[in-house]
Amino acid sequence: MENTLDTLRNNAVVASGTHVFYTSEDEVPFVPTGQLYVICADDADPEKCQQLLEEHNLEFIEARGERKFIVQVTSESENPIKTAQSLQQSPLITVAEPDLATFGKLKVFTTPLDSLLRDQWHLRNTGFHRGTSQGFLKGADARVIDAWESSQTLGSPGVIVAVIDDGFDLSHPEFVGNGKVVAPRDFTRNSLDPQPDFLQEDWHGTACAGVAVGNANSSGIVGAAPSCRLMPVRWGRDLSDREIENWFGYVREQEAWLVSCSWGAAANYFPLSTRAFDAIAQCAREGRNGLGCVICFAAGNSNHNINDPTSRTLDGFAIHPDVIAVAACTSRDQRSNYSNYGKEISICAPSSGSGGWGITTSDVIGQYTDRNGNQREAGYSIGAYTNDFGGTSSACPLVAGICALILSIKPQLTAAQVKELIQRTARRIGDPASYDNQGHSMFYGYGCIDTASAVKALLS
């Protein structure tokens, strides 16, 4: 080791070479700077002190009094630790302390190594996934991995994403460990266990939650904000005012930061009642200690206008002024053929669609016996993951996860400021003629959500 270090020191490109020291097994490094703080004894002969320091080939840097000095090792000195130890043995010296720079526990950011991350083209589209370039366009993504790298974060555990949906497999590896799940609730069973009803094929919520906050645990998939926490809320038996008040009141009271809603009314024409409107508004404006909960709603998959009363199409949830209405685009930066549209669309986000690919995310695990007595595999696909999730159902939690990442970086933003930020930093896709003078498109909102640009705007 000494020979190697000496060789490095003799190289012209090396300014300094030194050992790294540890005080315990916590792996926190201490690096000598080369300086020492030396105090000579009150009764020490100054000439003998001078001689001692010369013997160790030390150079004076600064005097802190008649007998207190900062000195620097030279090329002829032993390393600072050995020099300090030697000086401490002398009766002429009362203090000989090496200057040690420490940096806390070094947590160098690395991109997650989860095995299915390579298939999650919506986070970073390289143009080649799943063994082919067909159906992919490099850069047709949400720029999530770029944002992780520039911000050096995967999100904060202090940020809680509520997902209101049909059920959640909380035993799934993507949602276990370190207090990942916060305040689970089932409004159908009136319990604290929002597990899926297998006979109802409640696979949707587990897939949505994975897109938003699936763990970075070296296996499976990764959510857009994997270090943020999940509040899983299983919806009630119907879409009444009372239920809507219960759901949004609950997530507000339980201090969710964001709410992801990949659902809407079955009716094509569904104006919100005053009670439902106010319940969402109160959550969006008064939640998070007055900063407001960021609420994302899927625009829907019927390829119709979300606010066209003359054609009897109206989605009261998506057009609520306090929510982020999310449309879908494909792995080739094209509009998803099914995606609803309208003047209230805020943003679009990568998902499935004609000519493109589906989304890889978490899936319900297990087997069950169906109503005909047949043994079935739970979930959309066999196993713990599916490659075929999609619709605005997938685009919505992606936006929610991205907003969670944004709030992890700047938690003092209001819900309205988060909405404005992602709209302002979105990248335009599709036909330029579809955008108006304010930069808004009926089909894409303000464009495809660009996480890297939003984070860059925050960091600057």
Side-chain angles (χ1 to χ4, degrees), residues 105-111 152:
K105 189 164 186 176
L106 293 181
K107 295 184 178 178
V108 179
F109 178 84
T110 57
T111 302
Q152 300 284 283

Side-chain angles (χ1 to χ4, degrees), residues 297-325:
F297 261 96
N301 306 326
S302 301
N303 190 25
H304 68 220
N305 194 318
I306 58 175
N307 190 4
D308 186 7
T310 58
S311 298
R312 305 304 292 170
T313 59
L314 177 69
D315 187 333
F317 296 109
I319 69 170
H320 193 293
D322 293 321
V323 312
I324 297 172

Side-chain angles (χ1 to χ4, degrees), residues 199-260:
L199 291 179
Q200 296 292 332
E201 298 187 351
D202 289 345
W203 321 140
H204 197 259
T206 300
C208 288
V211 172
V213 294
N215 280 327
N217 56 6
S218 299
S219 66
I221 58 94
V222 188
S227 294
C228 295
R229 293 189 288 170
L230 169 67
M231 183 184 294
V233 177
R234 187 166 184 256
W235 54 35
R237 297 180 181 277
D238 54 46
L239 200 57
S240 64
D241 289 345
R242 174 62 64 186
E243 290 285 3
I244 294 168
E245 287 178 332
N246 286 341
W247 308 341
F248 286 94
Y250 180 79
V251 298
R252 175 174 53 83
E253 292 165 2
Q254 296 298 319
E255 300 182 346
W257 290 48
L258 307 100
V259 189
S260 179

Side-chain angles (χ1 to χ4, degrees), residues 320-338:
H320 193 293
D322 293 321
V323 312
I324 297 172
V326 184
C329 54
T330 73
S331 54
R332 291 187 56 80
D333 262 357
Q334 298 170 348
R335 174 177 173 260
S336 296
N337 55 297
Y338 52 77

Side-chain angles (χ1 to χ4, degrees), residues 22 26-30 101-108:
Y22 301 89
D26 61 10
E27 298 184 1
V28 177
F30 291 79
T102 187
F103 308 94
K105 189 164 186 176
L106 293 181
K107 295 184 178 178
V108 179

Side-chain angles (χ1 to χ4, degrees), residues 19-281:
H19 299 276
V20 176
F21 296 87
Y22 301 89
T23 59
S24 69
E25 296 181 355
D26 61 10
E27 298 184 1
V28 177
F30 291 79
V31 181
T33 67
Q35 292 187 354
L36 297 90
Y37 184 49
V38 176
I39 302 178
C40 299
D42 290 342
D43 58 353
D45 185 309
E47 287 299 324
K48 290 183 177 180
C49 287
Q50 176 72 29
Q51 182 180 355
L52 178 63
L53 297 177
E54 289 179 357
E55 288 174 357
H56 287 83
N57 300 298
L58 297 171
E59 179 182 6
F60 288 96
I61 299 296
E62 184 180 338
R64 294 289 178 88
E66 183 64 28
R67 295 178 177 275
K68 300 177 181 180
F69 307 98
I70 297 174
V71 295
Q72 173 80 44
V73 297
T74 64
S75 58
E76 288 79 27
S77 305
E78 290 189 297
N79 77 58
I81 301 296
K82 289 182 179 179
T83 300
Q85 183 184 33
S86 178
L87 291 174
Q88 288 166 6
Q89 308 306 312
S90 171
L92 299 172
I93 304 296
T94 57
V95 172
E97 294 177 350
D99 180 18
L100 300 174
T102 187
F103 308 94
K105 189 164 186 176
L106 293 181
K107 295 184 178 178
V108 179
F109 178 84
T110 57
T111 302
L113 300 176
D114 297 60
S115 55
L116 296 178
L117 180 59
R118 64 183 181 273
D119 294 331
Q120 293 184 270
W121 60 266
H122 59 287
L123 303 179
R124 175 182 279 168
N125 190 336
T126 66
F128 188 91
H129 299 271
R130 307 177 189 181
T132 183
S133 59
Q134 198 72 40
F136 293 109
L137 175 67
K138 184 177 181 179
D141 55 48
R143 310 287 198 271
V144 174
I145 295 179
D146 294 345
W148 292 343
E149 293 171 347
S150 63
S151 65
Q152 300 284 283
T153 183
L154 298 174
S156 167
V159 176
I160 301 170
V161 181
V163 179
I164 301 174
D165 217 292
D166 64 1
F168 305 86
D169 183 353
L170 298 184
S171 65
H172 199 289
E174 299 302 332
F175 312 123
V176 299
N178 298 323
K180 180 74 172 185
V181 174
V182 179
R185 182 65 190 270
D186 185 335
F187 282 94
T188 298
R189 305 183 185 100
N190 194 26
S191 75
L192 301 180
D193 184 11
Q195 294 291 332
D197 183 335
F198 282 18
L199 291 179
Q200 296 292 332
E201 298 187 351
D202 289 345
W203 321 140
H204 197 259
T206 300
C208 288
V211 172
V213 294
N215 280 327
N217 56 6
S218 299
S219 66
I221 58 94
V222 188
S227 294
C228 295
R229 293 189 288 170
L230 169 67
M231 183 184 294
V233 177
R234 187 166 184 256
W235 54 35
R237 297 180 181 277
D238 54 46
L239 200 57
S240 64
D241 289 345
R242 174 62 64 186
E243 290 285 3
I244 294 168
E245 287 178 332
N246 286 341
W247 308 341
F248 286 94
Y250 180 79
V251 298
R252 175 174 53 83
E253 292 165 2
Q254 296 298 319
E255 300 182 346
W257 290 48
L258 307 100
V259 189
S260 179
C261 304
S262 291
W263 46 267
N268 287 332
Y269 188 83
F270 188 83
L272 288 184
S273 68
T274 301
R275 285 176 63 186
F277 183 97
D278 288 349
I280 294 171

